[in-house]
Amino acid sequence: MPCAPTYLGIPEAGYLIGALFIKGESMEGIICGPSALSYLRTPPQVLDLLPSIPISQDRATQTFISTSPAFKELFGETVHTLVSSVSEHTNAKHIKQHLWSGPLPPQATIDDPAVGTVTSPLLTLLTLAQHCTDIELAMIMHEFCGEFAVYRPSDEVEKVLPKTNDARLAYGWKRAPSKDKRPSSLWQRSHLVEPHELASFAREVRGHRGARRFERAAAVLQGVTLSPLEVRTALLMGLPRTLGGRGIKIETNATIRFTQAASKIAHRSYCIADILITSPDGTYVVDVECQGTSVHDGIEARISDADRTTALESMGVSVILVSHDQIASHDSFNVVMDLVERELGQRLPAQTSRMVKSEEALRGDLFQEWETLGMAQNDGKVDASARTRAEAKAKARGGAKAATKPGTAKHKAEKNASSATEAKETTMAKPKQTPKR
């Protein structure tokens, strides 16, 4: 099977899934926000498997589309679209419309036969800015500027998804192998956005809703990353201390050239450091390697950890291996940072109580499920994730009580206790009546 021409890694020959929403020259056909994010995260080999849906505006077809497995696989329960006026309003329950006033920015959409018209990665980020925090939007920017996507297919799609990473079938997307041999949700693909494009786009859309958040999120981009673990580690280390990070100057996806002696050990002329940290005077260098549940492909996969570490340390480069568990809590991350500071020969000032609270708030955003990041507006898909994030943020604010899941015994007990307290307070606050004479 020859490889089809692609745009942004999506085959130009495909099935018509979202074409239902095309309507003349109006903006009704532009899929945006969480739905566009879902599309951009979906591997083209998955799009190839989805059945076609007829193009029609009649109510019967709209009902069919909203209940079809293909629609739910790609968009969940709801698809988000842009409209240019209230006259384009629809009462369809599975369509959530967003008003855009004025002309669209240059190169704002992608016309793809596989799904119809979709906002470009940059405009998708702007439409997501209305529903995300600064850090959440920055995380998605790292995904778009990085060389990875997170997508977990449904059980039905998993059964028929090709198990091979044959380039003729993958359209440039490859599923990262898992260390436990089970299918992972991490996919490797080329970047969708260049980091410098974020700043120029932010200038173009000033004045639009979400533009300020877009600009703030773009300002904290740490560089090119290859996995969610690298993003979380880079933000925890590199963000300013006032935003919850440790304020260390880092370089992501950095190339380290081996010396002639080191190359004999590694059998390569260079390696790629996930996060490279250099002391202010340039004397000490630390390579922080993120050890996730999935393994990288390419040159790093062909160098054993022992050979790589030995080669780097022969050059005076310290290697620190970091796992998810080591950065997941404040206390364990402190141990990692103590090691980094010792290897760099410097000590950072102790965190103030306000900085600690900022870090806890940062963690509330960083450690949510990446698969549902940015999807909180897709009805029926992320209720649990959104509740977990709200609990983490409430805890980070200090003293705020985390929400209890409705319907549980604990929730009922808390509700009864609250009612009893309210009744007691009402009785105590009730003024004493003077008996009539």
Side-chain angles (χ1 to χ4, degrees):
M1 175 181 174
C3 182
T6 63
Y7 181 75
L8 284 177
I10 306 300
E12 290 185 355
Y15 296 104
L16 299 176
I17 298 170
L20 162 75
F21 308 109
I22 305 269
K23 187 178 181 181
E25 297 300 322
S26 72
M27 201 182 291
E28 187 178 351
I30 302 179
I31 299 169
C32 69
S35 300
L37 174 60
S38 179
Y39 161 78
L40 292 170
R41 282 177 168 170
T42 304
Q45 49 266 58
V46 173
L47 292 175
D48 243 3
L49 297 173
L50 300 181
S52 61
I53 295 176
I55 305 174
S56 176
Q57 288 292 327
D58 64 86
R59 182 171 297 180
T61 304
Q62 288 191 2
T63 302
F64 166 72
I65 283 194
S66 64
T67 59
S68 71
F71 182 95
K72 290 188 176 181
E73 177 69 28
L74 193 55
F75 301 124
E77 301 293 335
T78 306
V79 64
H80 295 251
T81 63
L82 286 180
V83 294
S84 55
S85 70
V86 293
S87 63
E88 299 174 31
H89 175 70
T90 177
N91 291 321
K93 293 182 179 179
H94 61 282
I95 300 177
K96 186 176 180 65
Q97 295 174 313
H98 305 269
L99 183 64
W100 179 281
S101 301
L104 290 171
Q107 300 179 336
T109 61
I110 303 168
D111 291 319
D112 192 322
V115 296
T117 304
V118 186
T119 51
S120 66
L122 285 169
L123 187 54
T124 297
L125 289 168
L126 181 62
T127 56
L128 286 170
Q130 304 169 25
H131 315 295
C132 297
T133 66
D134 292 6
I135 296 301
E136 288 172 335
L137 188 62
M139 293 165 69
I140 301 172
M141 286 180 174
H142 279 87
E143 181 176 344
F144 281 12
C145 293
E147 298 182 358
F148 75 94
V150 177
Y151 170 81
R152 188 175 297 281
S154 64
D155 293 340
E156 291 75 13
V157 170
E158 189 70 71
K159 292 176 182 177
V160 296
L161 190 63
K163 304 304 179 185
T164 177
N165 274 330
D166 191 329
R168 296 172 298 173
L169 304 175
Y171 304 108
W173 287 56
K174 296 180 68 176
R175 199 171 192 176
S178 177
K179 290 181 178 179
D180 58 7
K181 306 301 181 183
R182 292 185 300 177
S184 75
S185 60
L186 182 64
W187 297 73
Q188 299 169 337
R189 51 113 178 96
S190 298
H191 61 271
L192 304 182
V193 175
E194 293 278 2
H196 68 84
E197 293 178 309
L198 295 174
S200 59
F201 186 78
R203 291 190 293 270
E204 292 175 4
V205 297
R206 279 178 182 167
H208 284 282
R209 187 180 180 188
R212 290 184 179 181
R213 173 161 288 153
F214 184 102
E215 192 168 9
R216 290 194 302 267
V220 299
L221 189 79
Q222 300 298 308
V224 176
T225 50
L226 304 181
S227 72
L229 179 58
E230 290 183 27
V231 177
R232 290 172 173 134
T233 306
L235 288 172
L236 281 170
M237 290 184 172
L239 278 179
R241 290 158 68 85
T242 54
L243 296 180
R246 298 304 174 95
I248 295 180
K249 186 177 180 180
I250 65 172
E251 182 181 359
T252 61
N253 203 35
T255 300
I256 301 178
R257 297 287 176 183
F258 288 130
T259 62
Q260 186 174 3
S263 63
K264 293 180 179 179
I265 299 173
H267 308 291
R268 293 287 183 275
S269 60
Y270 71 96
C271 70
I272 306 296
D274 290 342
I275 298 175
L276 192 66
I277 309 172
T278 305
S279 62
D281 60 2
T283 304
Y284 303 102
V285 180
V286 176
D287 171 17
V288 178
E289 290 298 308
C290 300
Q291 305 289 296
T293 56
S294 300
V295 297
H296 295 324
D297 201 359
I299 184 172
E300 295 304 299
R302 297 191 293 270
I303 305 177
S304 72
D305 288 340
D307 289 346
R308 186 182 187 284
T309 301
T310 303
L312 288 172
E313 292 190 343
S314 72
M315 299 167 51
V317 178
S318 301
V319 179
I320 298 177
L321 306 181
V322 173
S323 68
H324 177 274
D325 290 344
Q326 291 171 350
I327 68 168
S329 74
H330 176 79
D331 291 340
S332 59
F333 186 61
N334 275 343
V335 176
V336 173
M337 290 308 303
D338 285 342
L339 180 58
V340 170
E341 292 171 17
R342 187 167 70 241
E343 295 296 336
L344 290 175
Q346 68 178 63
R347 299 295 297 179
L348 295 175
Q351 287 180 299
T352 64
S353 59
R354 180 172 294 182
M355 290 176 181
V356 172
K357 287 186 177 180
S358 295
E359 182 177 327
E360 290 301 319
L362 172 63
R363 290 176 178 278
D365 284 331
L366 287 182
F367 290 98
Q368 59 184 285
E369 287 292 334
W370 198 285
E371 293 169 25
T372 55
L373 176 64
M375 312 293 275
Q377 296 295 312
N378 266 14
D379 300 349
K381 291 189 71 175
V382 295
D383 290 347
S385 176
R387 182 173 57 81
T388 301
R389 187 166 69 254
E391 291 173 355
K393 289 182 178 179
K395 181 180 179 182
R397 284 193 296 266
K401 195 170 184 179
T404 305
K405 185 177 180 181
T408 62
K410 183 178 180 181
H411 178 265
K412 291 178 180 178
E414 290 177 353
K415 186 176 181 181
N416 292 337
S418 177
S419 299
T421 301
E422 289 176 3
K424 183 178 179 181
E425 290 174 349
T426 302
T427 302
M428 294 175 65
K430 190 174 181 181
K432 184 177 180 180
Q433 295 183 353
T434 304
K436 293 183 179 179
R437 294 182 180 179

